[in-house]
Amino acid sequence: MKNFKKILLVIILLLSATVHAVEKITIFFPYAASASSTPAMLAVIDEANKMQSSFKFVLEFKPGGNQSISVKAMDQDPRNSLALIAPAYVENYRSKLIDKNNYVPVWSLGDACWAVFTNVGATSTGINSLAGIDELVVGGVGFGNATHLTGIMLGEKYKFNTRYVIFKSNTDALINLVGNNGVNMAIDKIEGFASFKSRNDNLQVLAVSCPNRMTAIPGVKTLKEQGINSPFVFNILIANKYMDDEKRTKIRAVLTLAAERMGADAFMKLSGLIPPQFNKTSQDEYYFKSLLKFELLTIRYEKAIENAKK
């Protein structure tokens, strides 16, 4: 790890010392400006632009289309742009949006760390409290995303029917859950839990999606600890295969060092995300494992949809 960081620093110094025109790199962002991950991405870009003069990073918002709009925008300028994607959408696999032959990982924005909320019962025994119910109504922002998949997995585990309702945001889904407006489960950041809890005493956190428990609620187990293969993975910047390999390596070095200079605490405060891993090999390995996981989850999703039609 130390050697890798030294290499990153050398690359940055070389970039800064070389006299040449600044290259504009557009990062197409698949979420709205108000998205929870926007502040962290903007902060990393700002730091990256301050610390070197080889690249000028610009964030352009391209929300919608299950992230296909941002990827298609990148494909229009494949040598000078990147796109942020979240592998946690099975629709991306159904539509062949994420193609390992055409795109390569550049840098991860971090692991999603969400809380799984429910208003079923008034216990805090984890997902076991769902055992015995007939139906779970899950609120989320898109079919086939991580929230939807979590509901499907819970239904498979405890033999209940899962119904999915679409909202504009995870927070909207949580507000409807707190108000007992036809929703039994929602997933959102842990901030604001105390306020929501004061409005609905039945509100509980069943699990967290992070690889490890959250320091804010250490008594709540992870999905993995409770036997659920968490479908939540990081947002990652990808490049088209036509981007020059050397350029892609330099961009990764710049963004990695920029995030590291921000510090883990500042990064988490801005985004609610676990800071990205800084080791190149582990990032790539994690990325491709995530793709494989979602290829397998897509099969489960398709089966669940078919069973719901019967």
Side-chain angles (χ1 to χ4, degrees), residues 242-261:
Y242 293 113
M243 177 179 277
D244 179 73
D245 287 343
E246 183 179 359
K247 179 190 285 189
R248 192 169 62 245
T249 300
K250 290 178 179 178
I251 290 173
R252 168 179 277 181
V254 170
L255 294 176
T256 297
L257 193 55
E260 188 176 37
R261 287 173 60 159

Side-chain angles (χ1 to χ4, degrees), residues 54-277:
S54 292
F55 302 116
K56 173 68 175 179
F57 295 98
V58 177
L59 194 66
E60 189 168 327
F61 297 98
K62 293 285 184 180
N66 266 355
Q67 305 170 30
S68 63
I69 296 174
S70 58
V71 173
K72 289 176 181 178
M74 175 187 67
D75 287 340
Q76 296 300 310
D77 188 14
R79 292 178 172 81
N80 301 294
S81 63
L82 306 169
L84 188 78
I85 64 165
Y89 275 89
V90 295
E91 291 293 344
N92 290 343
Y93 297 92
R94 301 174 89 197
S95 64
K96 307 300 182 185
L97 172 67
I98 301 177
D99 188 338
K100 289 179 284 189
N101 297 316
N102 291 327
Y103 305 115
V104 291
V106 177
W107 181 78
S108 66
L109 183 58
D111 276 298
C113 195
W114 302 99
V116 181
F117 296 96
T118 186
N119 58 8
V120 177
T123 63
S124 56
T125 57
I127 61 176
N128 287 333
S129 63
L130 298 177
I133 67 172
D134 295 322
E135 183 179 69
L136 185 73
V137 182
V138 181
V141 294
F143 286 111
N145 66 3
T147 303
H148 192 183
L149 285 168
T150 300
I152 289 173
M153 290 178 180
L154 291 171
E156 290 176 348
K157 184 177 179 68
Y158 293 110
K159 311 302 180 186
F160 56 70
N161 180 55
T162 300
R163 190 156 54 88
Y164 193 65
V165 181
I166 298 293
F167 290 89
K168 291 183 179 180
S169 69
N170 287 322
T171 302
D172 285 338
L174 179 57
I175 290 171
N176 277 268
L177 182 147
V178 172
N180 294 320
N181 294 325
V183 178
N184 305 126
M185 192 189 93
I187 293 177
D188 204 355
K189 293 197 293 185
I190 192 62
E191 286 79 9
F193 172 63
S195 174
F196 284 125
K197 178 72 172 175
S198 67
R199 293 155 54 187
N200 187 332
D201 199 45
N202 283 342
L203 185 67
Q204 299 293 335
V205 180
L206 296 180
V208 293
S209 66
C210 330
N212 302 302
R213 296 190 191 189
M214 296 178 66
T215 55
I217 44 174
V220 178
K221 294 180 180 179
T222 66
L223 284 169
K224 184 177 181 180
E225 286 181 288
Q226 300 182 69
I228 297 293
N229 183 20
S230 174
F232 291 84
V233 293
F234 59 84
N235 292 280
I236 191 163
L237 286 174
I238 58 172
N240 190 287
K241 65 181 180 181
Y242 293 113
M243 177 179 277
D244 179 73
D245 287 343
E246 183 179 359
K247 179 190 285 189
R248 192 169 62 245
T249 300
K250 290 178 179 178
I251 290 173
R252 168 179 277 181
V254 170
L255 294 176
T256 297
L257 193 55
E260 188 176 37
R261 287 173 60 159
M262 286 173 58
D265 290 342
F267 192 92
M268 283 199 73
K269 187 175 182 180
L270 281 171
S271 64
L273 300 172
I274 298 173
Q277 301 171 1

